[in-house]
Amino acid sequence: MKILLLGSGELGKEFVIAAQRIGQTVIAVDSYENAPAMQVAHGFEVINMLDGIELDRIVAKHQPDFIVPEIEAIRTERFYDYEKQGITVVPSAKAANFTMNRKAIRDLASKELGLKTANYRYATTAEELQKGVEAVGMPCVVKPLMSSSGKGQSTIKTTADIEKAWNYAVEGSRGDVVEVIVEAFVKFNSEITLLTVTQNNNPTLFCAPIGHRQERGDYQESWQPARISDKDLYEAQDMAEKVTEALGGAGLFGVEFFLADDGVYFSELSPRPHDTGMVTLAGTQNFNEFELHLRAILSLPIFEITLEKSGASAVVLASENSTKPTYMGLEKIAALPKTDFRIFGKPSSRPYRRMAVALTNDTLETPIEEIVDRAKQAAALIEVHY
């Protein structure tokens, strides 16, 4: 089978590696050369994926069996035409369109499916944002409708923050949609990612919940399994199954939830492997999230997902701009027990760009806090030089 991968970052790279292992052909696409997934794919294309004509051109050129989106900044409305041509869009054209824009997925979850979410409003100007803040109250969170890795996300605590939050959200927005969502701050105790696998001819499956810590709207550490009550887990699984069923198609979804005193709140959904799910590269499951995504796409039956170990991941961030970043300290992290790492191979760096990840695991009986601390200590050993 031939797969056209739209977006070629570190998550795409691991997906390509999984595909290569079972004999699939992958063409990696991104807006810059030598992106991580391009380094391991059979071929690559460099285009602006918001250009529908360019997107049409490479689809016609490669005639893929599958189109697998990895990022948000894509002219996703073209996907409906590709489905009509007999190409499988992953998980589906509807899922890709709805989830690339926070407005569509939030309205689906809240208004159509009746899932519990934070109170929210939309805004296309700073003035509308001010009215939205008045409606949901402070503190509140502002996010661009189209963005990734926390870009453009901020918290409003006072009226003086509103204009600054608007400007930051516009700067961090991807694509050509200048609109934000402002949502009430949920007083949550923790937040989880529930990796949910939908299959064409088999039941929906769930991975053990993943906990994570964020800064600047981007994850810093993740761990599996996260602590969650049986009641909350059942509620989260029920919500995840409802929203993924409504979106259709087969593949792995990263469904995010807040866990609060009054229950579980639906937060966001990604129709692809999730960054917090990189913890599964630590050997926590019988299949990592990239292998699960691939098998579901190819209609290879997944009998079960088993939790084999507890694990954690911790990111390595760049602090400076560089066109030739290099890495030191690999021999130190390699010498640690039950520890691994991935260097993503990004050709350039900028402040806070994710460049690598440290991975640790241990027995299911080991306190998860210890495993997370080891991951953070391991990540600190990798030095990015500029």
Side-chain angles (χ1 to χ4, degrees), residues 115 128 146 155 179 218 234 274 318 352:
L115 307 187
E128 285 184 6
M146 290 184 69
T155 301
E179 189 170 5
D218 201 4
Y234 177 80
H274 201 268
Y352 301 118

Side-chain angles (χ1 to χ4, degrees), residues 271-320:
R272 57 189 180 275
H274 201 268
D275 51 6
T276 62
M278 281 195 281
V279 67
T280 62
L281 294 172
T284 55
Q285 304 182 159
N286 55 334
F287 299 112
N288 67 46
E289 66 168 343
F290 309 98
E291 294 165 334
L292 290 169
H293 194 44
L294 178 70
R295 286 169 182 250
I297 289 167
L298 299 178
S299 295
L300 296 174
I302 303 164
F303 178 70
E304 63 180 349
I305 303 170
T306 57
L307 183 67
E308 302 294 322
K309 303 173 186 176
S310 295
S313 74
V315 301
V316 177
L317 303 178
S319 59
E320 298 179 27

